[in-house]
Amino acid sequence: MSIALVGLPNCGKTSLFNALTGSRQKVANYPGVTVERKEGWIRSEGAPLRVLDLPGTYSLDSRTPDEEITREVILGRFAGEARPEVLVAVLDATNLERNLALVLELKALQVPMVIALNMMDLASRRGLELDQRKLEAELGIRVFPTVAVRSQGLDPLIQAARSLREPRLGTQNWKPSTGSEVRARFNEVDRILRVCVTQASRPSERTRSLDRVVLHPVWGIVVLGVTLALMFQAIFSWASVPADWIELGVAAFGKWVGTLFSAGPLRSLIVDGMIAGVGAVLVFLPQILILFAFIYALEDSGYLARAAFLMDRIMSKVGLQGRALIPLLSSYACAIPGIMATRTIASPRDRLATILVTPLTTCSARLPVYTLLVGAFIPEQKVWGWLGLQGLVLLGLYVMGTVAPLTAAWALRRTVLRGPKPMLLMELPTYKRPSLKGLALGLLERTQLFLKRAGTIILALSVVIWFLSTYPQTSDGSVSIESSYAAQIGKTIEPVLRPLGFDWRVGMALVPGFAAREVMVSALGTVYAVEASDEGGVARLGEKLASSWSLATALSLIVWYVFAPQCISTLAVVRRETNSWRWTGFLLLYLTVLAYLASWVTYQGLSRIGWGY
Amino acid sequence: MSLLTLADLRPLERARILEVGTPSRVSSAETEDLIRALLEMGVVEGSEVQILHVAPWSQDPIAIEVRGALIALRRQEASLVRVERVQS
């Protein structure tokens, strides 16, 4: 038997889902779209009960892909999804004035339904006095008070849902409601509330007083700035501690595995190919999890919508929505969670614009490359006596990585993605404490997804790169990088790269860099025969590069890294989220052209003034 | 007939919604969608409304309270909502 949870956004539906199913849940995507499908099982007494957590919606007239799924599943029209036998309408008891309208709409479908009157504790505290019997009589639906975050009131709700299974009446004849039907529903809500509610619940005092600061024209910006600064601090500095552990762990593991095999191709494949390759990506796990935890907490607490409200004006100047702020910020860690965070943007066109510009943000995988090249080529001198020049250049790169996506958005909205100005109509939910259970489940899920990716795509790519740079071996069986397949690829593409100041060595390091940007550092190490993973290895590699490259080449390569779509995982995610090869191809093309032009200008310009040797 | 709209209200001024729609203008499909969206979020005739917050810099967008919820929208969208002031 199956039930589905339906309700407005922020009604506590997901808390109820988590409370009902615990960890017995499965999160996936609906086929063909990027809407999350959450399914779980209840194993209390009786037959197992399948629970589907449908995306939150204000009504059945869909405005977003999420809302459309909710309607189609309820109507039993969604291919591959059995129609739920009983609906559980989840209502925010503190806001019946709006939540009941959805119940009336669902009731018209004549599907078996029970009501979870959720957040009942909060509602009572805010003074709600409600005659539950009268409400049941008015609606003709059984009502159960619940407090999902504390798992209260769940058993009677589920028992009632189980007993409701009955032959259902037709629901196929659903039509979008007209404006006057929507108005009539709200009038009916007001009538029912007059009958059943003796004392309405007051608005949340806490939310009001918090908002006086958080949405204040001046203090609001200060709060936003501090929040973002904290988030960056967490990503860049706190994350480095567990990242170092992972790095040490991978190195130790590689060493230990190395002792199990005798020297030879197999050991090389496992240690240098698989373990080193996957390890290079695993170090990003702490960053991604910390970022996810931040975003989860901001979203769940209700702050994220407020940040979007504060930033809406600026974002709309370049043709994006306030909600695009979070994807862009997330991309400072990694474009992949950034692109996934665009799911909260309702309009497909706005969402696409955001997806297409996020890869320009300075992600953390660029940092190792920047660090290497800036350290090697920018002299360590002070500007105005106290500012380090290297730091300034790095800051400049971050500024470029911030201006570039905004400029690109502005340009895209005026060309290929021209359209009406994105509209803004967004609820600012009541503040609440983020649920730790939800956070834990979310982190677990992210980790699983990440490890799955590292164990499949990245593992496979690592093996390919290892193969390309190790074979063919010379006649005496030794490995010569100069004659490897990777070098041959480098030499083949050299003519195209020469105007940018890159020779075949850079070319062959760029190729594995496509798998993951940071792999570029170890690839350069291989090319210049420096063990970059050793202690001090990066510094020695820097010296080597400084003696063999011109400043123009180095800066050209840095600029290439600012723009180039050097990350196959990002492209894979874009493909999945846009569900379009065309837009993925467009992204690859426009970023590559942009990177090529920018590097060309850099190299040619600097050579002209004599910095190209 | 009063032509006061939600976009014209000062913060914390109390008002009642008279009409959501574009009686005088030619309405496009987008405005129709917007009107529907406003109605579904509870911005319906007869409900009380007030502006609680305005965004920094240009005072746009605004955050309104209606039917116990706080909703952010731009002034352009708010101008579709005709209101009358009520005494508190």
Side-chain angles (χ1 to χ4, degrees), chain A residues 58-59 61 95 97-98 177 183 186 190 208 211 215 312-313 422-426 428, chain B residues 20 34 36 39-41 45 53 56 58 60 62 65 67-74 77:
Chain A
Y58 291 98
S59 84
D61 299 308
N95 190 275
E97 293 173 86
R98 293 191 319 144
S177 357
R183 291 175 171 103
F186 277 100
D190 287 340
R208 282 219 166 170
D211 272 343
L215 296 181
D312 180 73
R313 190 68 186 178
M423 92 179 182
L424 177 81
L425 189 60
M426 166 180 74
L428 305 179
Chain B
V20 184
L34 179 58
R36 168 71 58 82
L39 290 174
E40 280 166 359
M41 288 186 87
E45 286 83 355
H53 308 280
S58 53
D60 194 21
I62 56 175
E65 191 182 59
R67 296 184 81 89
L70 193 59
I71 294 170
L73 73 172
R74 301 214 183 98
E77 281 119 39

mmCIF file of all heavy atoms in Angstrom, chain A residues 58-59 61 95 97-98 177 183 186 190 208 211 215 312-313 422-426 428, chain B residues 20 34 36 39-41 45 53 56 58 60 62 65 67-74 77:
data_model
loop_
_atom_site.group_PDB
_atom_site.id
_atom_site.type_symbol
_atom_site.label_atom_id
_atom_site.label_comp_id
_atom_site.label_asym_id
_atom_site.label_seq_id
_atom_site.Cartn_x
_atom_site.Cartn_y
_atom_site.Cartn_z
ATOM 1 N N TYR A 58 1.596 25.116 -3.873
ATOM 2 C CA TYR A 58 0.505 25.948 -3.373
ATOM 3 C C TYR A 58 -0.834 25.487 -3.918
ATOM 4 O O TYR A 58 -1.877 25.727 -3.331
ATOM 5 C CB TYR A 58 0.733 27.416 -3.731
ATOM 6 C CG TYR A 58 1.897 28.025 -2.984
ATOM 7 C CD1 TYR A 58 3.140 28.131 -3.574
ATOM 8 C CD2 TYR A 58 1.738 28.454 -1.675
ATOM 9 C CE1 TYR A 58 4.214 28.664 -2.892
ATOM 10 C CE2 TYR A 58 2.804 28.982 -0.972
ATOM 11 C CZ TYR A 58 4.041 29.088 -1.591
ATOM 12 O OH TYR A 58 5.104 29.608 -0.893
ATOM 13 N N SER A 59 -0.790 24.871 -5.114
ATOM 14 C CA SER A 59 -2.031 24.399 -5.710
ATOM 15 C C SER A 59 -1.674 23.370 -6.760
ATOM 16 O O SER A 59 -0.510 23.060 -6.972
ATOM 17 C CB SER A 59 -2.787 25.557 -6.359
ATOM 18 O OG SER A 59 -2.280 25.779 -7.657
ATOM 19 N N ASP A 61 -2.335 23.779 -9.919
ATOM 20 C CA ASP A 61 -1.967 24.464 -11.159
ATOM 21 C C ASP A 61 -0.482 24.742 -11.094
ATOM 22 O O ASP A 61 -0.038 25.651 -10.408
ATOM 23 C CB ASP A 61 -2.700 25.805 -11.283
ATOM 24 C CG ASP A 61 -4.184 25.597 -11.313
ATOM 25 O OD1 ASP A 61 -4.646 24.803 -12.118
ATOM 26 O OD2 ASP A 61 -4.869 26.249 -10.495
ATOM 27 N N ASN A 95 -0.712 28.398 10.014
ATOM 28 C CA ASN A 95 -1.138 29.194 8.875
ATOM 29 C C ASN A 95 -2.253 28.500 8.103
ATOM 30 O O ASN A 95 -2.119 28.174 6.922
ATOM 31 C CB ASN A 95 0.067 29.458 7.954
ATOM 32 C CG ASN A 95 -0.267 30.483 6.901
ATOM 33 O OD1 ASN A 95 -0.817 30.142 5.871
ATOM 34 N ND2 ASN A 95 0.002 31.738 7.165
ATOM 35 N N GLU A 97 -5.027 29.750 7.205
ATOM 36 C CA GLU A 97 -5.664 30.655 6.241
ATOM 37 C C GLU A 97 -5.247 30.360 4.810
ATOM 38 O O GLU A 97 -5.971 30.642 3.874
ATOM 39 C CB GLU A 97 -5.260 32.104 6.533
ATOM 40 C CG GLU A 97 -5.766 32.666 7.816
ATOM 41 C CD GLU A 97 -5.126 34.027 8.031
ATOM 42 O OE1 GLU A 97 -5.670 35.009 7.510
ATOM 43 O OE2 GLU A 97 -4.067 34.096 8.681
ATOM 44 N N ARG A 98 -4.014 29.863 4.666
ATOM 45 C CA ARG A 98 -3.584 29.556 3.303
ATOM 46 C C ARG A 98 -3.527 28.055 3.062
ATOM 47 O O ARG A 98 -3.833 27.576 1.989
ATOM 48 C CB ARG A 98 -2.209 30.162 3.042
ATOM 49 C CG ARG A 98 -2.268 31.687 3.037
ATOM 50 C CD ARG A 98 -0.994 32.267 2.530
ATOM 51 N NE ARG A 98 0.120 31.515 3.068
ATOM 52 C CZ ARG A 98 1.229 31.257 2.405
ATOM 53 N NH1 ARG A 98 1.375 31.707 1.197
ATOM 54 N NH2 ARG A 98 2.195 30.575 2.959
ATOM 55 N N SER A 177 -7.963 25.450 -12.327
ATOM 56 C CA SER A 177 -9.047 26.282 -11.816
ATOM 57 C C SER A 177 -8.961 27.679 -12.402
ATOM 58 O O SER A 177 -7.878 28.174 -12.707
ATOM 59 C CB SER A 177 -9.021 26.378 -10.295
ATOM 60 O OG SER A 177 -8.007 25.591 -9.763
ATOM 61 N N ARG A 183 -10.466 32.156 -5.946
ATOM 62 C CA ARG A 183 -11.040 33.112 -4.984
ATOM 63 C C ARG A 183 -12.103 32.434 -4.130
ATOM 64 O O ARG A 183 -12.177 32.627 -2.919
ATOM 65 C CB ARG A 183 -11.656 34.292 -5.745
ATOM 66 C CG ARG A 183 -10.622 35.157 -6.425
ATOM 67 C CD ARG A 183 -11.308 36.240 -7.262
ATOM 68 N NE ARG A 183 -10.351 37.215 -7.748
ATOM 69 C CZ ARG A 183 -9.887 37.255 -8.992
ATOM 70 N NH1 ARG A 183 -10.284 36.372 -9.891
ATOM 71 N NH2 ARG A 183 -9.023 38.187 -9.353
ATOM 72 N N PHE A 186 -10.668 30.372 -1.308
ATOM 73 C CA PHE A 186 -10.228 31.158 -0.150
ATOM 74 C C PHE A 186 -11.424 31.675 0.658
ATOM 75 O O PHE A 186 -11.359 31.750 1.883
ATOM 76 C CB PHE A 186 -9.304 32.294 -0.586
ATOM 77 C CG PHE A 186 -7.880 31.845 -0.759
ATOM 78 C CD1 PHE A 186 -7.373 31.565 -2.018
ATOM 79 C CD2 PHE A 186 -7.059 31.670 0.340
ATOM 80 C CE1 PHE A 186 -6.073 31.130 -2.179
ATOM 81 C CE2 PHE A 186 -5.751 31.233 0.190
ATOM 82 C CZ PHE A 186 -5.259 30.959 -1.071
ATOM 83 N N ASP A 190 -12.138 30.937 4.592
ATOM 84 C CA ASP A 190 -12.489 31.936 5.609
ATOM 85 C C ASP A 190 -13.761 31.529 6.352
ATOM 86 O O ASP A 190 -13.865 31.692 7.571
ATOM 87 C CB ASP A 190 -12.673 33.307 4.952
ATOM 88 C CG ASP A 190 -11.326 33.908 4.543
ATOM 89 O OD1 ASP A 190 -10.295 33.467 5.102
ATOM 90 O OD2 ASP A 190 -11.299 34.797 3.675
ATOM 91 N N ARG A 208 9.249 38.082 13.370
ATOM 92 C CA ARG A 208 9.116 39.520 13.156
ATOM 93 C C ARG A 208 10.316 40.277 13.662
ATOM 94 O O ARG A 208 10.848 41.151 12.973
ATOM 95 C CB ARG A 208 7.857 40.026 13.868
ATOM 96 C CG ARG A 208 6.627 39.692 13.094
ATOM 97 C CD ARG A 208 5.684 40.840 13.191
ATOM 98 N NE ARG A 208 4.639 40.693 12.200
ATOM 99 C CZ ARG A 208 3.561 41.443 12.177
ATOM 100 N NH1 ARG A 208 3.388 42.387 13.086
ATOM 101 N NH2 ARG A 208 2.652 41.278 11.253
ATOM 102 N N ASP A 211 13.438 39.558 11.644
ATOM 103 C CA ASP A 211 13.390 40.189 10.332
ATOM 104 C C ASP A 211 13.654 41.684 10.390
ATOM 105 O O ASP A 211 14.108 42.273 9.420
ATOM 106 C CB ASP A 211 12.036 39.925 9.662
ATOM 107 C CG ASP A 211 12.058 38.626 8.874
ATOM 108 O OD1 ASP A 211 13.171 38.133 8.601
ATOM 109 O OD2 ASP A 211 10.974 38.123 8.530
ATOM 110 N N LEU A 215 16.248 41.801 7.579
ATOM 111 C CA LEU A 215 15.785 42.442 6.346
ATOM 112 C C LEU A 215 15.969 43.957 6.381
ATOM 113 O O LEU A 215 15.484 44.664 5.508
ATOM 114 C CB LEU A 215 14.314 42.091 6.076
ATOM 115 C CG LEU A 215 14.025 40.614 5.815
ATOM 116 C CD1 LEU A 215 12.547 40.384 5.546
ATOM 117 C CD2 LEU A 215 14.839 40.092 4.646
ATOM 118 N N ASP A 312 18.072 40.568 -4.611
ATOM 119 C CA ASP A 312 17.282 40.506 -5.843
ATOM 120 C C ASP A 312 17.578 41.651 -6.800
ATOM 121 O O ASP A 312 17.680 41.463 -8.005
ATOM 122 C CB ASP A 312 15.789 40.497 -5.510
ATOM 123 C CG ASP A 312 14.946 40.433 -6.766
ATOM 124 O OD1 ASP A 312 14.914 39.359 -7.368
ATOM 125 O OD2 ASP A 312 14.363 41.454 -7.153
ATOM 126 N N ARG A 313 17.733 42.847 -6.230
ATOM 127 C CA ARG A 313 17.939 44.005 -7.094
ATOM 128 C C ARG A 313 19.217 43.863 -7.933
ATOM 129 O O ARG A 313 19.217 44.082 -9.131
ATOM 130 C CB ARG A 313 18.020 45.271 -6.216
ATOM 131 C CG ARG A 313 18.003 46.532 -7.003
ATOM 132 C CD ARG A 313 16.654 46.718 -7.635
ATOM 133 N NE ARG A 313 16.662 47.879 -8.525
ATOM 134 C CZ ARG A 313 15.623 48.262 -9.238
ATOM 135 N NH1 ARG A 313 14.494 47.573 -9.186
ATOM 136 N NH2 ARG A 313 15.686 49.315 -10.011
ATOM 137 N N PRO A 422 12.835 38.044 -15.140
ATOM 138 C CA PRO A 422 12.313 37.032 -14.222
ATOM 139 C C PRO A 422 11.409 37.660 -13.166
ATOM 140 O O PRO A 422 11.719 38.720 -12.633
ATOM 141 C CB PRO A 422 13.580 36.456 -13.587
ATOM 142 C CG PRO A 422 14.674 37.395 -13.894
ATOM 143 C CD PRO A 422 14.295 38.102 -15.137
ATOM 144 N N MET A 423 10.290 37.006 -12.908
ATOM 145 C CA MET A 423 9.400 37.585 -11.902
ATOM 146 C C MET A 423 9.792 37.070 -10.529
ATOM 147 O O MET A 423 10.459 36.052 -10.398
ATOM 148 C CB MET A 423 7.949 37.259 -12.234
ATOM 149 C CG MET A 423 7.415 36.017 -11.612
ATOM 150 S SD MET A 423 5.684 35.836 -12.113
ATOM 151 C CE MET A 423 5.266 34.364 -11.234
ATOM 152 N N LEU A 424 9.420 37.795 -9.541
ATOM 153 C CA LEU A 424 9.758 37.398 -8.180
ATOM 154 C C LEU A 424 8.471 37.277 -7.393
ATOM 155 O O LEU A 424 7.704 38.236 -7.306
ATOM 156 C CB LEU A 424 10.668 38.440 -7.536
ATOM 157 C CG LEU A 424 11.012 38.136 -6.081
ATOM 158 C CD1 LEU A 424 12.126 37.122 -5.999
ATOM 159 C CD2 LEU A 424 11.401 39.394 -5.336
ATOM 160 N N LEU A 425 8.221 36.100 -6.887
ATOM 161 C CA LEU A 425 7.068 35.904 -6.013
ATOM 162 C C LEU A 425 7.467 34.743 -5.139
ATOM 163 O O LEU A 425 7.482 33.592 -5.567
ATOM 164 C CB LEU A 425 5.823 35.569 -6.850
ATOM 165 C CG LEU A 425 4.517 35.560 -6.085
ATOM 166 C CD1 LEU A 425 4.234 36.913 -5.469
ATOM 167 C CD2 LEU A 425 3.377 35.165 -7.003
ATOM 168 N N MET A 426 7.869 35.048 -3.922
ATOM 169 C CA MET A 426 8.528 34.036 -3.122
ATOM 170 C C MET A 426 8.132 34.215 -1.674
ATOM 171 O O MET A 426 8.127 35.325 -1.150
ATOM 172 C CB MET A 426 10.034 34.258 -3.307
ATOM 173 C CG MET A 426 10.940 33.579 -2.370
ATOM 174 S SD MET A 426 12.665 33.965 -2.777
ATOM 175 C CE MET A 426 12.799 35.655 -2.213
ATOM 176 N N LEU A 428 8.662 34.130 2.225
ATOM 177 C CA LEU A 428 9.755 34.169 3.203
ATOM 178 C C LEU A 428 9.253 33.403 4.424
ATOM 179 O O LEU A 428 8.481 33.935 5.215
ATOM 180 C CB LEU A 428 10.103 35.617 3.570
ATOM 181 C CG LEU A 428 10.440 36.540 2.393
ATOM 182 C CD1 LEU A 428 10.735 37.952 2.870
ATOM 183 C CD2 LEU A 428 11.617 36.003 1.599
ATOM 184 N N VAL B 20 -7.476 41.887 -7.490
ATOM 185 C CA VAL B 20 -6.207 41.416 -8.037
ATOM 186 C C VAL B 20 -6.417 41.225 -9.527
ATOM 187 O O VAL B 20 -7.206 40.388 -9.957
ATOM 188 C CB VAL B 20 -5.790 40.070 -7.407
ATOM 189 C CG1 VAL B 20 -4.423 39.639 -7.917
ATOM 190 C CG2 VAL B 20 -5.777 40.191 -5.901
ATOM 191 N N LEU B 34 0.734 35.520 -13.559
ATOM 192 C CA LEU B 34 1.117 36.209 -12.334
ATOM 193 C C LEU B 34 -0.086 36.385 -11.418
ATOM 194 O O LEU B 34 0.000 36.156 -10.207
ATOM 195 C CB LEU B 34 1.743 37.565 -12.697
ATOM 196 C CG LEU B 34 2.182 38.417 -11.521
ATOM 197 C CD1 LEU B 34 3.199 37.663 -10.675
ATOM 198 C CD2 LEU B 34 2.787 39.709 -12.015
ATOM 199 N N ARG B 36 -2.772 34.569 -11.317
ATOM 200 C CA ARG B 36 -3.078 33.252 -10.759
ATOM 201 C C ARG B 36 -2.129 32.922 -9.611
ATOM 202 O O ARG B 36 -2.554 32.469 -8.538
ATOM 203 C CB ARG B 36 -2.959 32.214 -11.883
ATOM 204 C CG ARG B 36 -2.974 30.784 -11.433
ATOM 205 C CD ARG B 36 -4.347 30.403 -10.959
ATOM 206 N NE ARG B 36 -5.286 30.624 -12.043
ATOM 207 C CZ ARG B 36 -5.494 29.769 -13.029
ATOM 208 N NH1 ARG B 36 -4.828 28.644 -13.056
ATOM 209 N NH2 ARG B 36 -6.358 30.018 -13.975
ATOM 210 N N LEU B 39 -2.962 34.898 -6.515
ATOM 211 C CA LEU B 39 -4.168 34.375 -5.872
ATOM 212 C C LEU B 39 -3.845 33.097 -5.109
ATOM 213 O O LEU B 39 -4.245 32.926 -3.956
ATOM 214 C CB LEU B 39 -5.247 34.078 -6.926
ATOM 215 C CG LEU B 39 -5.887 35.282 -7.618
ATOM 216 C CD1 LEU B 39 -6.809 34.814 -8.736
ATOM 217 C CD2 LEU B 39 -6.663 36.129 -6.615
ATOM 218 N N GLU B 40 -3.088 32.194 -5.738
ATOM 219 C CA GLU B 40 -2.818 30.916 -5.092
ATOM 220 C C GLU B 40 -1.981 31.060 -3.837
ATOM 221 O O GLU B 40 -2.046 30.228 -2.935
ATOM 222 C CB GLU B 40 -2.137 29.962 -6.085
ATOM 223 C CG GLU B 40 -3.170 29.347 -7.010
ATOM 224 C CD GLU B 40 -2.549 28.686 -8.204
ATOM 225 O OE1 GLU B 40 -1.311 28.714 -8.324
ATOM 226 O OE2 GLU B 40 -3.308 28.157 -9.029
ATOM 227 N N MET B 41 -1.162 32.129 -3.794
ATOM 228 C CA MET B 41 -0.375 32.338 -2.581
ATOM 229 C C MET B 41 -1.180 33.066 -1.513
ATOM 230 O O MET B 41 -0.655 33.404 -0.457
ATOM 231 C CB MET B 41 0.906 33.093 -2.910
ATOM 232 C CG MET B 41 1.882 32.199 -3.665
ATOM 233 S SD MET B 41 3.464 32.995 -3.927
ATOM 234 C CE MET B 41 4.327 32.574 -2.425
ATOM 235 N N GLU B 45 -8.857 38.945 -2.827
ATOM 236 C CA GLU B 45 -9.741 40.038 -2.458
ATOM 237 C C GLU B 45 -10.277 39.842 -1.042
ATOM 238 O O GLU B 45 -10.651 38.732 -0.656
ATOM 239 C CB GLU B 45 -10.911 40.131 -3.447
ATOM 240 C CG GLU B 45 -10.529 40.698 -4.809
ATOM 241 C CD GLU B 45 -9.930 39.648 -5.750
ATOM 242 O OE1 GLU B 45 -9.726 38.508 -5.310
ATOM 243 O OE2 GLU B 45 -9.670 40.000 -6.914
ATOM 244 N N HIS B 53 8.587 44.956 4.930
ATOM 245 C CA HIS B 53 9.997 45.257 4.688
ATOM 246 C C HIS B 53 10.198 45.706 3.257
ATOM 247 O O HIS B 53 9.473 45.280 2.367
ATOM 248 C CB HIS B 53 10.861 44.018 4.929
ATOM 249 C CG HIS B 53 10.635 43.381 6.256
ATOM 250 N ND1 HIS B 53 11.193 43.867 7.407
ATOM 251 C CD2 HIS B 53 9.883 42.316 6.616
ATOM 252 C CE1 HIS B 53 10.792 43.113 8.427
ATOM 253 N NE2 HIS B 53 9.995 42.173 7.969
ATOM 254 N N PRO B 56 17.054 46.743 0.346
ATOM 255 C CA PRO B 56 17.989 47.872 0.334
ATOM 256 C C PRO B 56 18.116 48.519 -1.043
ATOM 257 O O PRO B 56 17.689 47.948 -2.037
ATOM 258 C CB PRO B 56 19.317 47.243 0.752
ATOM 259 C CG PRO B 56 19.101 45.805 0.942
ATOM 260 C CD PRO B 56 17.698 45.475 0.654
ATOM 261 N N SER B 58 17.058 50.255 -3.642
ATOM 262 C CA SER B 58 16.017 50.898 -4.427
ATOM 263 C C SER B 58 14.618 50.697 -3.843
ATOM 264 O O SER B 58 13.641 50.975 -4.501
ATOM 265 C CB SER B 58 16.065 50.335 -5.829
ATOM 266 O OG SER B 58 16.015 48.931 -5.690
ATOM 267 N N ASP B 60 13.065 48.091 -3.527
ATOM 268 C CA ASP B 60 12.379 47.123 -4.350
ATOM 269 C C ASP B 60 13.278 45.892 -4.393
ATOM 270 O O ASP B 60 14.483 46.050 -4.613
ATOM 271 C CB ASP B 60 12.196 47.710 -5.757
ATOM 272 C CG ASP B 60 11.199 46.936 -6.601
ATOM 273 O OD1 ASP B 60 10.387 46.223 -6.005
ATOM 274 O OD2 ASP B 60 11.239 47.064 -7.824
ATOM 275 N N ILE B 62 9.660 44.256 -2.280
ATOM 276 C CA ILE B 62 9.052 44.480 -0.972
ATOM 277 C C ILE B 62 8.613 43.139 -0.387
ATOM 278 O O ILE B 62 8.452 42.169 -1.125
ATOM 279 C CB ILE B 62 7.822 45.422 -1.077
ATOM 280 C CG1 ILE B 62 6.811 44.855 -2.082
ATOM 281 C CG2 ILE B 62 8.243 46.826 -1.455
ATOM 282 C CD1 ILE B 62 5.522 45.651 -2.145
ATOM 283 N N GLU B 65 2.892 41.185 4.207
ATOM 284 C CA GLU B 65 2.243 40.170 5.020
ATOM 285 C C GLU B 65 0.799 40.056 4.588
ATOM 286 O O GLU B 65 0.085 41.071 4.523
ATOM 287 C CB GLU B 65 2.313 40.520 6.498
ATOM 288 C CG GLU B 65 1.875 39.345 7.341
ATOM 289 C CD GLU B 65 1.888 39.674 8.822
ATOM 290 O OE1 GLU B 65 1.180 40.626 9.200
ATOM 291 O OE2 GLU B 65 2.595 39.012 9.561
ATOM 292 N N ARG B 67 -2.548 37.110 4.910
ATOM 293 C CA ARG B 67 -3.059 35.821 5.407
ATOM 294 C C ARG B 67 -1.990 35.090 6.214
ATOM 295 O O ARG B 67 -1.786 33.880 6.061
ATOM 296 C CB ARG B 67 -3.545 34.952 4.251
ATOM 297 C CG ARG B 67 -4.740 35.554 3.512
ATOM 298 C CD ARG B 67 -5.251 34.622 2.440
ATOM 299 N NE ARG B 67 -6.128 33.583 2.987
ATOM 300 C CZ ARG B 67 -7.440 33.697 3.133
ATOM 301 N NH1 ARG B 67 -8.054 34.811 2.763
ATOM 302 N NH2 ARG B 67 -8.153 32.730 3.631
ATOM 303 N N GLY B 68 -1.288 35.814 7.049
ATOM 304 C CA GLY B 68 -0.340 35.191 7.978
ATOM 305 C C GLY B 68 0.963 34.755 7.353
ATOM 306 O O GLY B 68 1.762 34.081 7.987
ATOM 307 N N ALA B 69 1.219 35.112 6.089
ATOM 308 C CA ALA B 69 2.478 34.722 5.456
ATOM 309 C C ALA B 69 3.222 35.960 4.986
ATOM 310 O O ALA B 69 2.615 36.993 4.726
ATOM 311 C CB ALA B 69 2.218 33.802 4.267
ATOM 312 N N LEU B 70 4.534 35.817 4.917
ATOM 313 C CA LEU B 70 5.380 36.900 4.438
ATOM 314 C C LEU B 70 5.788 36.548 3.003
ATOM 315 O O LEU B 70 6.360 35.487 2.762
ATOM 316 C CB LEU B 70 6.606 37.002 5.344
ATOM 317 C CG LEU B 70 7.488 38.241 5.226
ATOM 318 C CD1 LEU B 70 6.699 39.505 5.511
ATOM 319 C CD2 LEU B 70 8.662 38.115 6.191
ATOM 320 N N ILE B 71 5.471 37.437 2.079
ATOM 321 C CA ILE B 71 5.719 37.134 0.667
ATOM 322 C C ILE B 71 6.526 38.256 0.035
ATOM 323 O O ILE B 71 6.201 39.438 0.209
ATOM 324 C CB ILE B 71 4.387 36.946 -0.085
ATOM 325 C CG1 ILE B 71 3.674 35.693 0.443
ATOM 326 C CG2 ILE B 71 4.615 36.823 -1.581
ATOM 327 C CD1 ILE B 71 2.264 35.556 -0.041
ATOM 328 N N ALA B 72 7.598 37.869 -0.678
ATOM 329 C CA ALA B 72 8.435 38.856 -1.358
ATOM 330 C C ALA B 72 7.990 38.978 -2.801
ATOM 331 O O ALA B 72 7.725 37.979 -3.466
ATOM 332 C CB ALA B 72 9.898 38.424 -1.303
ATOM 333 N N LEU B 73 7.876 40.206 -3.277
ATOM 334 C CA LEU B 73 7.549 40.439 -4.681
ATOM 335 C C LEU B 73 8.059 41.814 -5.077
ATOM 336 O O LEU B 73 8.410 42.628 -4.221
ATOM 337 C CB LEU B 73 6.053 40.291 -4.953
ATOM 338 C CG LEU B 73 5.073 41.356 -4.475
ATOM 339 C CD1 LEU B 73 3.692 41.070 -5.046
ATOM 340 C CD2 LEU B 73 4.964 41.405 -2.968
ATOM 341 N N ARG B 74 8.128 42.054 -6.373
ATOM 342 C CA ARG B 74 8.599 43.370 -6.818
ATOM 343 C C ARG B 74 7.433 44.336 -6.893
ATOM 344 O O ARG B 74 6.279 43.929 -7.009
ATOM 345 C CB ARG B 74 9.255 43.234 -8.194
ATOM 346 C CG ARG B 74 10.413 42.268 -8.186
ATOM 347 C CD ARG B 74 11.506 42.683 -9.128
ATOM 348 N NE ARG B 74 12.553 41.665 -9.116
ATOM 349 C CZ ARG B 74 12.653 40.701 -10.046
ATOM 350 N NH1 ARG B 74 11.801 40.671 -11.066
ATOM 351 N NH2 ARG B 74 13.603 39.810 -9.961
ATOM 352 N N GLU B 77 5.036 43.879 -9.762
ATOM 353 C CA GLU B 77 4.017 42.855 -9.584
ATOM 354 C C GLU B 77 2.961 43.319 -8.585
ATOM 355 O O GLU B 77 1.765 43.050 -8.757
ATOM 356 C CB GLU B 77 4.679 41.559 -9.116
ATOM 357 C CG GLU B 77 5.338 40.775 -10.236
ATOM 358 C CD GLU B 77 6.839 40.581 -10.068
ATOM 359 O OE1 GLU B 77 7.306 40.353 -8.936
ATOM 360 O OE2 GLU B 77 7.538 40.669 -11.093
#
